[in-house]
Amino acid sequence: MPRQARNRDKYKPHHIICRSIVELLLFKTDEDKEYYINLIQSSAMIHRIEILSYCLMDNHTHILIHPREGDISKFMHAINNCYAKYYNRVHKRRGHLFSERYKNIVIKDLIQLLRNSTYIHNNPKALLYKGYGSIEDYPYSSIKDFTQPGKGRGLAN
């Protein structure tokens, strides 16, 4: 049975979700997360994708994007393919890293955009037990780009 075609709209934002296979953490170290963020940044420039918000969790990622002139599939392929090769090399393993192809949700209106961005930025609440005082202290999210302009990475618009 062939795959179902993706829901796409080149004029609307998309919420992208990528999950690791069940038995693996997608990010074992902070360096892994830094590498993935660098891939997002470089791929966004190459493929003309606007990053609206993002959050990297231990076993999955959320990226809210606007395709502008770019191709979402090429953008995600560049990130996930390069990251899987990096991960397998650094952590001395072989095989698949992602459980399935990325999931994308087309954002239909401003309310859904705000809800998705809020959801993405609240994701690190699950990690507060690791010593982060608040979601703003979590360094692998775009929340500081919104709450403390100039103190975040400047990746998200």
Side-chain angles (χ1 to χ4, degrees):
M1 184 159 140
R3 290 191 212 186
Q4 186 175 0
R6 286 197 181 277
N7 217 358
R8 293 185 190 197
D9 189 326
K10 65 181 182 178
Y11 302 107
K12 293 187 178 178
H14 290 67
H15 180 175
I16 307 290
I17 304 161
C18 299
R19 295 192 179 281
S20 66
I21 56 177
V22 175
E23 61 273 5
L24 279 181
L25 290 177
L26 190 54
F27 306 104
K28 289 185 175 185
T29 66
D30 290 345
E31 289 79 19
D32 292 347
K33 290 178 182 174
E34 291 292 341
Y35 189 82
Y36 197 88
I37 287 172
N38 289 334
L39 288 173
I40 292 171
Q41 187 169 28
S42 62
S43 187
M45 288 185 350
I46 292 167
H47 296 286
R48 298 181 177 159
I49 299 286
E50 182 179 8
I51 307 300
L52 303 176
S53 61
Y54 65 89
C55 182
L56 308 185
M57 301 299 286
D58 290 343
N59 65 349
H60 67 284
T61 67
H62 294 276
I63 312 171
L64 187 59
I65 65 164
H66 196 296
R68 299 295 176 211
E69 304 164 26
D71 184 320
I72 297 169
S73 292
K74 288 180 181 176
F75 166 73
M76 290 307 302
H77 182 269
I79 294 168
N80 288 348
N81 187 41
C82 191
Y83 183 72
K85 288 177 182 176
Y86 156 85
Y87 186 95
N88 284 344
R89 184 181 71 252
V90 168
H91 298 292
K92 296 175 179 35
R93 68 173 301 276
R94 293 189 310 178
H96 294 283
L97 177 60
F98 295 96
S99 65
E100 56 195 10
R101 57 187 193 152
Y102 67 88
K103 180 179 179 182
N104 73 304
I105 301 162
V106 177
I107 307 298
K108 295 175 178 38
D109 56 34
L110 181 60
I111 292 171
Q112 188 181 8
L113 178 71
L114 294 173
R115 283 184 180 151
N116 274 261
S117 186
T118 301
Y119 173 79
I120 288 168
H121 288 130
N122 277 316
N123 242 250
K125 279 184 178 179
L127 298 176
L128 293 181
Y129 72 91
K130 287 189 172 185
Y132 299 109
S134 71
I135 58 175
E136 284 188 357
D137 293 337
Y138 184 65
Y140 307 107
S141 160
S142 58
I143 193 161
K144 281 188 181 178
D145 289 337
F146 295 93
T147 61
Q148 299 175 34
K151 294 194 176 182
R153 295 175 189 267
L155 178 58
N157 287 333

